[in-house]
């Protein structure tokens, strides 16, 4: 086990005109489970591969257990990797697959058998040890790949979208198993996913990347409650935060006929930034559907999930704009079934919770 530090670590691919990973700074504690999340192409896999020694570190450094890894070959980094395509040897049994790295290392048969049995027990694979991978389900194969990593007892686990070949239900199951397993083993883990729900549910802390640059590195709840910019605000949370550019009125922001009051600190910050409009963020659970009070909107679509419903509506006020400059589409989350009808005019009320404010040009939190 070991702490990991990215120190202004950069990677540029040959012929590319921008950095795939740009001066990444991350301090990962010993035993921590850290998730790298971001849209496609944001540099997650590259950042992980730099740690594993599969990509060069073109600038800065990465340290494992206080030792600089620049120039250290992958095999000497004491890392075990689990990838999306966890190729297992088809002609070896589950047990042989799991023990293969140890065999290569010259570990005795007795010790190998003991370690594989231990890992199989943790992963609920004991009864499959003599089977070939071809006769396993996707989830079981995924667990064999995990087992192969566990038996090596590495300092660090690197995982790149290990669950993306599984169906939705199995993915949810396996993600809790991996998180629980990691807690039990206490091995420092860096886990890559593009799925923000996976990131939020698994990570002790989550690093949000965009265009190779770190946006925010914080606990899941902190990311949700205090996003540093409009990108993180819109990326974390499902359905996404409602973001709109709203004219500033006296004492608050003006949406249709309704003044959404703001706290004094926020008003002072807006005044000193000299803005006449601001990007306002409201989570779907902060919008109540009322038929009397609130800002006028028209319902476009309702999704019933059984336990709750999502109401998609658009605002009537042309002075309030979406981030793309177009009309504002909003989503409200309601605990009530069928809280409105499609085509109906409703009033959206702001419920408890913070009003997030972002600079309309830079997107930075105000
Ligand atoms: N081998 C390569 N050669 C050149 N450019 C690459 C290579 N691999 C990745 N890139 C580029 O580097 C950037 C980061 O890619 P990376 O694979 O790290 O993204 P990612 O966040 O893992 O995306 P995804 O979610 O799609 O897997 C992208 O712009 C990508 O096109
Ligand atoms: Mg990737």
């Amino acid at each position: 086990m070991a702490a990991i530090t990215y120190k202004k670590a950069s990677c540029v691919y040959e012929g590319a005109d921008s950095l795939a990973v740009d001066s990444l700074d991350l301090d990962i504690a010993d035993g921590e489970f850290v998730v790298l999340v971001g849209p496609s192409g944001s540099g997650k896999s590259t950042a992980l591969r730099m740690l594993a020694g599969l990509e060069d570190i073109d600038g800065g450094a990465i340290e494992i257990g206080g030792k600089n890894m620049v120039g250290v070959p992958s095999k000497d980094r004491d890392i075990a990797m689990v990838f999306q395509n966890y190729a297992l040897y088809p002609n070896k049994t589950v047990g042989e697959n799991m023990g293969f790295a140890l065999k290569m290392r010259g570990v005795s048969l007795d010790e190998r058998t003991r370690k594989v049995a231990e890992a199989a027990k943790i992963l609920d694979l004991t009864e499959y040890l003599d089977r070939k991978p071809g006769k396993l389900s996707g989830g079981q194969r995924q667990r064999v790949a995990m087992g192969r990593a566990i038996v090596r007892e590495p300092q660090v686990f690197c995982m790149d979208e290990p669950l993306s070949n599984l169906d939705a239900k199995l993915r949810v199951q396996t993600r809790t198993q991996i998180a629980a397993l990691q807690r039990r083993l206490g091995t420092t883990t860096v886990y890559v996913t593009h799925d923000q729900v996976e990131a939020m549910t698994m990570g002790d802390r989550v690093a949000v990347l965009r265009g190779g640059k770190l946006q925010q590195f914080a606990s899941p709840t902190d990311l949700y409650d205090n996003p540093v910019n409009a990108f993180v605000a819109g990326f974390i949370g499902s359905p996404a935060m409602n973001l709109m550019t709203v004219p500033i009125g006296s004492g608050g922001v003006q949406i249709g006929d309704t003044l959404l009051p703001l706290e004094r600190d926020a008003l002072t910050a807006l005044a000193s930034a000299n803005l006449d409009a601001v990007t306002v963020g409201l989570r779907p659970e902060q919008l109540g559907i009322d038929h009397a009070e609130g800002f006028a909107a028209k319902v476009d679509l309702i999704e019933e999930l059984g336990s709750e419903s999502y109401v998609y509506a658009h605002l009537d006020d042309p002075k309030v704009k979406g981030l793309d400059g177009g009309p504002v589409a909003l989503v409200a989350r309601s605990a009530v079934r069928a809280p409105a009808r499609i085509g109906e005019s409703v009033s959206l009320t702001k419920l408890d919770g913070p009003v997030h404010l972002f600079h309309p040009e830079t997107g930075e939190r105000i």
Side-chain angles (χ1 to χ4, degrees):
M1 280 174 270
I4 298 167
T5 316
Y6 284 77
K7 289 186 172 168
K8 302 246 170 296
S10 296
C11 175
V12 59
Y13 288 108
E14 229 177 272
D17 41 5
S18 63
L19 297 170
V21 170
D22 191 348
S23 308
L24 179 60
D25 280 315
L26 286 180
D27 252 315
I28 301 171
D30 186 9
E32 198 173 14
F33 193 126
V34 163
V35 179
L36 307 182
V37 72
S40 185
S42 55
K44 309 177 293 291
S45 295
T46 306
L48 190 74
R49 293 169 59 82
M50 290 161 74
L51 173 64
L54 303 174
E55 296 301 342
D56 287 341
I57 301 164
D58 298 317
I62 297 179
E63 292 176 1
I64 300 178
K67 267 176 56 191
N68 191 349
M69 289 294 125
V70 174
V72 177
S74 185
K75 64 175 175 48
D76 298 331
R77 294 193 187 188
D78 199 9
I79 276 177
M81 288 170 279
V82 184
F83 291 144
Q84 177 179 354
N85 296 312
Y86 33 83
L88 302 173
Y89 299 107
N91 297 321
K92 293 190 200 300
T93 63
V94 166
E96 288 164 350
N97 264 288
M98 283 166 62
F100 190 66
L102 299 183
K103 189 174 176 184
M104 289 289 101
R105 230 192 258 166
V107 175
S108 73
L109 178 63
D110 269 4
E111 195 180 338
R112 250 156 49 208
T113 313
R114 188 175 55 75
K115 287 201 164 142
V116 167
E118 245 171 51
K121 198 166 151 221
I122 296 176
L123 293 161
D124 217 359
L125 286 170
T126 307
E127 58 182 302
Y128 305 107
L129 281 175
D130 297 324
R131 269 203 214 175
K132 301 272 168 68
K135 293 190 173 164
L136 295 176
S137 73
Q140 289 162 344
R141 265 180 246 158
Q142 200 283 332
R143 298 212 297 277
V144 177
M146 281 296 297
R148 195 169 54 176
I150 290 174
V151 295
R152 295 179 45 197
E153 296 173 5
Q155 293 201 73
V156 175
F157 287 132
C158 288
M159 304 189 194
D160 194 345
E161 312 246 8
L163 306 184
S164 44
N165 287 341
L166 306 183
D167 70 46
K169 190 168 172 211
L170 201 51
R171 206 154 60 212
V172 172
Q173 240 174 44
T174 316
R175 98 180 167 219
T176 26
Q177 284 169 350
I178 292 183
L181 182 66
Q182 191 274 342
R183 250 136 239 164
R184 189 164 149 194
L185 298 172
T187 310
T188 315
T189 301
V190 183
Y191 184 104
V192 163
T193 180
H194 64 273
D195 178 351
Q196 58 90 21
V197 179
E198 225 168 89
M200 295 289 279
T201 51
M202 296 179 84
D204 293 319
R205 282 190 295 166
V206 177
V208 183
L209 294 174
R210 180 196 200 187
K213 291 197 176 79
L214 180 66
Q215 306 292 300
Q216 190 167 4
F217 183 35
S219 71
T221 46
D222 204 18
L223 282 183
Y224 195 83
D225 293 341
N226 302 301
V228 292
N229 59 31
F231 173 76
V232 175
F235 190 76
I236 298 290
S238 173
M241 185 190 283
N242 296 296
L243 291 163
M244 52 201 158
T245 307
V246 184
I248 299 170
S250 89
V253 286
Q254 189 73 35
I255 305 176
D257 296 336
T258 308
L259 183 82
L260 189 61
L262 296 177
E263 288 180 8
R264 184 185 301 236
D265 287 358
L267 290 169
T268 316
L270 290 179
S272 63
N274 212 6
L275 295 170
D276 50 14
V278 65
T279 300
V280 171
L282 292 171
R283 296 273 178 206
E285 61 270 25
Q286 287 178 275
L287 287 178
I289 297 152
D290 200 303
H291 293 269
E293 255 178 85
F295 21 98
K298 200 155 194 183
V299 177
D300 299 315
L301 180 74
I302 298 178
E303 284 178 351
E304 288 287 355
L305 277 82
S307 57
E308 55 187 5
S309 6
Y310 301 152
V311 178
Y312 295 85
H314 64 269
L315 276 188
D316 272 345
D317 182 354
K319 291 205 228 49
V320 178
K321 295 199 165 58
L323 293 197
D324 58 358
V328 181
L330 295 175
V331 51
R333 174 185 252 150
S334 169
V336 182
R337 283 209 184 159
R341 288 185 314 277
I342 293 175
E344 187 182 2
S345 294
V346 292
S347 298
L348 298 176
T349 327
K350 178 189 168 282
L351 306 177
D352 281 350
V355 180
H356 300 272
L357 298 175
F358 304 100
H359 193 284
E361 273 118 47
T362 64
E364 294 302 313
R365 185 180 192 85
I366 293 177

